[in-house]
Amino acid sequence: MGLIKITWLGHAAFMLEGSKKVLIDPFIDDNPLAPVKSSELEPDLIAVTHGHLDHLGDTVKIAKRCNCPVVCIYELSRYLDKFNVEAIGINIGGSVVVKDVKFTMVKAIHSADLVRNGEIVSLGSPVGFIVTLDGVKIYHTGDTDVFYDMKLIGELHSPDIMLLPIGDRYTMGIDGAIKAIELVSPKYAIPMHYNTFPVIQQDPQKLLEKVKALNLKTEVVILKPGETFKYEAKD
Ligand code: NI
Ligand code: MN
């Protein structure tokens, strides 16, 4: 247990820092909101929720430079094999511990194919992760709609912090996100996947106010790209 720092890098990209640095969905160099270049990031581990380019992003580049493993769904791991990246494929419901960090894969409702050289490449299912870092559980939902099994995810894993999309159009919007927070009931919820592009403009303040009005136990934390939320774990 200790201090965990969660830095939003814009879109669905987060750096989780404790005894290890875990980078999730590193869409950085083509991300208009990213406060850094991918060359400045030094993760110990990368996790990718699905193969869409706004999530897979700079994974190959960073993984090669930092020589760090990539945790993802099996089909995507086989795709990454082609780039000589150490990809660790697991599947929904399964867990893996890499460098003392535990990744549990959970479902997400979304799509996950990639168009490459005019061909559609299937990269497995889209997923979310429960990342357990120094005893703190962070649920990155990936791109998803709300679904009732989020209640089960909450019951099984009791995540401390939930990272969830609110941008609408490609994922759930604010109303779905409120329901998702209610179902999972984390201590903190940080919205993501909005304002990166004009089609996913969203006001995160609306989420904060509506969650507050419902008297849920969850506190919504709004980050600007580059800002860090610090979570002090209690034993
Ligand atoms: Ni996507
Ligand atoms: Mn996306």
Side-chain angles (χ1 to χ4, degrees), residues 198-216:
V199 291
I200 54 171
Q201 286 298 319
Q202 197 64 269
D203 179 4
Q205 201 64 34
K206 280 187 193 157
L207 177 77
L208 189 147
E209 279 158 21
K210 286 184 176 179
V211 168
K212 213 176 233 176
L214 287 172
N215 278 319
L216 303 180

Side-chain angles (χ1 to χ4, degrees), residues 5 40 115 190:
K5 295 197 275 181
E40 297 169 63
V115 179
I190 302 175

Side-chain angles (χ1 to χ4, degrees), residues 94-155:
S95 298
V96 68
V97 177
V98 194
K99 297 184 182 178
D100 297 323
V101 182
K102 183 177 177 186
F103 298 86
T104 302
M105 189 169 273
V106 295
K107 79 171 185 182
I109 297 183
H110 190 63
S111 63
D113 296 342
L114 185 69
V115 179
R116 208 163 167 91
N117 303 323
E119 299 281 321
I120 294 175
V121 184
S122 176
L123 299 175
S125 300
V127 301
F129 285 104
I130 310 285
V131 180
T132 310
L133 173 61
D134 302 343
V136 175
K137 292 186 178 188
I138 299 130
Y139 174 24
H140 187 300
T141 67
D143 280 0
T144 188
D145 188 14
V146 61
F147 50 91
Y148 252 112
D149 285 354
M150 282 180 170
K151 187 167 173 59
L152 183 62
I153 292 170
E155 286 173 5

Side-chain angles (χ1 to χ4, degrees), residues 11-12 50 52 54-55 110 143 170-171 193:
H11 210 55
H50 63 296
H52 287 158
D54 59 321
H55 298 261
H110 190 63
D143 280 0
Y170 304 115
T171 65
H193 213 277

